[in-house]
Amino acid sequence: MKKLSTLTALLLALTLAAGAAFAAAKVGIKIKAEKEITTVKGGKKETRLIPAKKYAPNDLIVYTITYTNNGDQAATNAVIDDPIPAGTVYVPGSAKGEGSEITFSIDKGKTFAAPTLLTYETQAGGKKEKHVAAPEEYTNVRWVVATIPAKASGKLEFKVRVK
């Protein structure tokens, strides 16, 4: 088992960047990483989350980002970006966020698009071919939260699998 130092460092980077970006709007974020584990009790499968302090290949890590608007006015079109940690791959369909538009990047956050529009080109035999990116090629997740009312909070989530 490895310690979660790389994943924790990325969480800290997100928290600091988003905290600075939302300082004027008084929107803050907190992020937590938890490992999803499944056990069998009395013949029934039970899935629960535990703090992700150590991880191993194939572990499923759930990231939950909580945002809070501590201001007296609504925040609109709040952008929250999160890198997908090195050594992990995004779990397709796992990004959630009520009232938000979710997009992805395959170029470390330079550009973002919906999954069906996330494409890249390759050259094969002198001919350019366009490909839709696979979820395991995603490098970042972005949420644009339409409105965060004053004194309100919400949650965003995504999952990764450790390589």
Side-chain angles (χ1 to χ4, degrees):
M1 291 236 176
K2 297 179 183 179
K3 287 189 178 177
L4 207 56
S5 60
T6 303
L7 298 177
T8 303
L10 286 170
L11 293 178
L12 181 59
L14 170 73
T15 302
L16 294 175
F22 293 134
K26 296 188 180 178
V27 175
I29 66 166
K30 291 181 183 177
I31 187 164
K32 74 177 165 182
E34 297 174 295
K35 184 167 44 171
E36 188 175 285
I37 61 167
T38 303
T39 56
V40 179
K41 274 188 177 177
K44 290 184 179 180
K45 278 187 177 182
E46 182 180 288
T47 301
R48 61 188 175 101
L49 298 173
I50 62 170
K53 293 181 181 174
K54 294 185 179 187
Y55 61 97
N58 213 32
D59 280 351
L60 189 66
I61 307 296
V62 179
Y63 288 97
T64 304
I65 301 164
T66 303
Y67 57 85
T68 304
N69 180 355
N70 295 308
D72 294 328
Q73 296 181 347
T76 57
N77 297 318
V79 178
I80 301 171
D81 292 344
D82 197 354
I84 294 168
T88 69
V89 293
Y90 172 75
V91 174
S94 68
K96 297 176 183 157
E98 190 174 325
S100 68
E101 176 187 2
I102 304 169
T103 55
F104 301 89
S105 176
I106 57 172
D107 59 9
K108 298 185 180 179
K110 292 177 188 163
T111 60
F112 286 85
T116 56
L117 302 174
L118 201 56
T119 61
Y120 61 95
E121 289 184 353
T122 59
Q123 190 91 10
K127 182 175 148 185
K128 285 186 180 180
E129 295 181 8
K130 199 172 199 176
H131 303 278
V132 174
E136 42 291 335
E137 296 173 281
Y138 298 174
T139 60
N140 298 66
V141 183
R142 172 180 278 176
W143 296 263
V144 177
V145 183
T147 303
I148 307 172
K151 309 297 182 199
S153 62
K155 291 188 180 201
L156 310 171
E157 180 181 291
F158 75 102
K159 298 177 184 180
V160 297
R161 187 159 306 277
V162 178
K163 291 182 186 179

